[in-house]
Amino acid sequence: MQLNKHPYDRSRLRNKLAFDLMRRVPHLPSLRTQFVHLWIDEGAGPVDQGLYTHVEAVTKEYLVNRGRDEDEPLYKAELFQFLPSELDELALDAAGEPRDEARFERRLEIKRGDDHRALLRAAADVADPGIPFERTLARHFDADNALAWITTNILLGQQDVGSHNYYLHDPLDADALYFLPWDYDGAFETEPELRDSFESDALRTRLAHGFARLHDNRFTRRWLERPGAHERLVAAATELRRDALSDDAIDALLAAYVPQVRPIVARAPDIGFVA
């Protein structure tokens, strides 16, 4: 069970809304979620803990429930940006296991799998500017999945992604890594208005605006630097907004959520702890 309180989301809807929408997006695996009204009984009777969102754990059960091999490699990004400086921490022995598991997991938490050589080969090629990115993308990743992940993050306003808040899945029956989404309680934020100014605040805003937000991750940076990347994003975004992420799709989900959520968060204990 992974129960999330999301105290900084006044609506308490963002995370579930994002994952439910992403279940409609082709080529982008999503996670199952449920609203949970939690009560805890420590012996003196049940005490109301308010509303939580349960998010499916990306572990062995995630694989088994989808008919996958339970030992397929799965990684949760902790502080990982496909940078050359990170490769030493991902060092492996001859069997593909980390030489120093603690150092490895400072970058990528190992959820499943014992042989991580495919991951390291992919990370090394992304980090190497001498290897054309088109070759790296075709050799190590699923291009449709990468396009769907980047485009959906932009459309959903996911502003906290790059070094974390994603998983990598290495299916045994495919020579490709797949991006999986994680943690969207900060999504659906409106982009700040840019100012034509050299003041520090204005410059900091530009560093985290639009495509610039994806610059520090070497994979997304190199993906965006490809000729035609902008056009690919616009085409994919247009298609998603027409169907999977349309206003009608969003409105239908919200109409189902609000009657469940509003009666709980509008009273104690939640009403006193909304940030």
Side-chain angles (χ1 to χ4, degrees):
M1 295 287 288
Q2 292 191 132
L3 298 179
N4 300 270
K5 192 63 175 173
H6 305 310
Y8 299 105
D9 172 16
R10 288 179 177 271
S11 75
R12 305 297 177 91
L13 302 174
R14 295 181 183 186
N15 208 41
K16 181 168 175 56
L17 176 60
F19 280 114
D20 285 352
L21 286 168
M22 285 186 284
R23 294 179 71 175
R24 300 165 49 90
V25 175
H27 310 294
L28 184 63
S30 187
L31 303 176
R32 298 182 176 97
T33 58
Q34 296 88 29
F35 289 125
V36 175
H37 188 180
L38 180 66
W39 299 70
I40 296 178
D41 188 343
E42 296 182 340
V47 178
D48 188 355
Q49 305 295 320
L51 183 77
Y52 285 75
T53 302
H54 172 246
V55 182
E56 179 182 15
V58 185
T59 56
K60 179 179 75 174
E61 290 74 19
Y62 171 87
L63 297 170
V64 171
N65 289 339
R66 288 160 177 77
R68 309 298 310 180
D69 188 297
E70 66 179 41
D71 290 322
E72 288 183 347
L74 274 173
Y75 311 94
K76 182 176 185 283
E78 296 293 340
L79 185 61
F80 183 63
Q81 297 172 292
F82 292 91
L83 300 177
S85 59
E86 298 166 346
L87 297 179
D88 284 346
E89 296 181 66
L90 302 182
L92 305 174
D93 62 21
E97 297 185 355
R99 294 186 182 277
D100 186 331
E101 188 168 333
R103 290 189 72 202
F104 190 107
E105 291 203 317
R106 280 201 292 267
R107 298 295 177 180
L108 288 166
E109 181 183 354
I110 300 171
K111 291 296 188 178
R112 300 298 295 171
D114 298 312
D115 185 347
H116 312 296
R117 285 175 289 188
L119 169 78
L120 184 58
R121 287 192 296 268
D125 283 4
V126 172
D128 187 345
I131 300 176
F133 185 73
E134 288 291 349
R135 185 191 306 171
T136 297
L137 185 64
R139 180 181 295 172
H140 300 295
F141 297 89
D142 183 274
D144 290 331
N145 167 255
L147 174 61
W149 179 64
I150 293 171
T151 307
T152 300
N153 280 335
I154 292 172
L155 287 177
L156 295 184
Q158 169 62 305
Q159 301 191 21
D160 189 18
V161 69
S163 64
H164 63 171
N165 284 345
Y166 67 93
Y167 284 82
L168 290 168
H169 176 207
D170 180 18
L172 296 179
D173 60 356
D175 294 327
L177 288 171
Y178 287 76
F179 290 92
L180 278 65
W182 180 250
D183 195 0
Y184 283 74
D185 64 347
F188 303 100
E189 290 284 351
T190 302
E191 290 278 6
E193 189 75 24
L194 295 180
R195 292 188 293 117
D196 187 10
S197 168
F198 288 101
E199 294 180 4
S200 296
D201 288 348
L203 293 175
R204 278 195 295 269
T205 299
R206 290 184 180 277
L207 290 174
H209 188 275
F211 289 170
R213 188 179 305 117
L214 304 174
H215 183 268
D216 291 341
N217 183 300
R218 185 65 59 89
F219 179 89
T220 49
R221 173 180 171 181
R222 296 193 69 186
W223 194 99
L224 289 166
E225 289 173 345
R226 299 153 65 218
H230 178 74
E231 291 74 16
R232 290 186 184 93
L233 278 173
V234 171
T238 301
E239 180 63 28
L240 288 175
R241 284 290 286 147
R242 184 181 299 123
D243 184 15
L245 304 182
S246 68
D247 288 348
D248 287 345
I250 294 170
D251 290 345
L253 288 172
L254 291 175
Y257 298 161
V258 170
Q260 302 177 59
V261 169
R262 183 169 290 168
I264 303 173
V265 300
R267 59 179 173 80
D270 280 343
I271 193 66
F273 294 97
V274 176

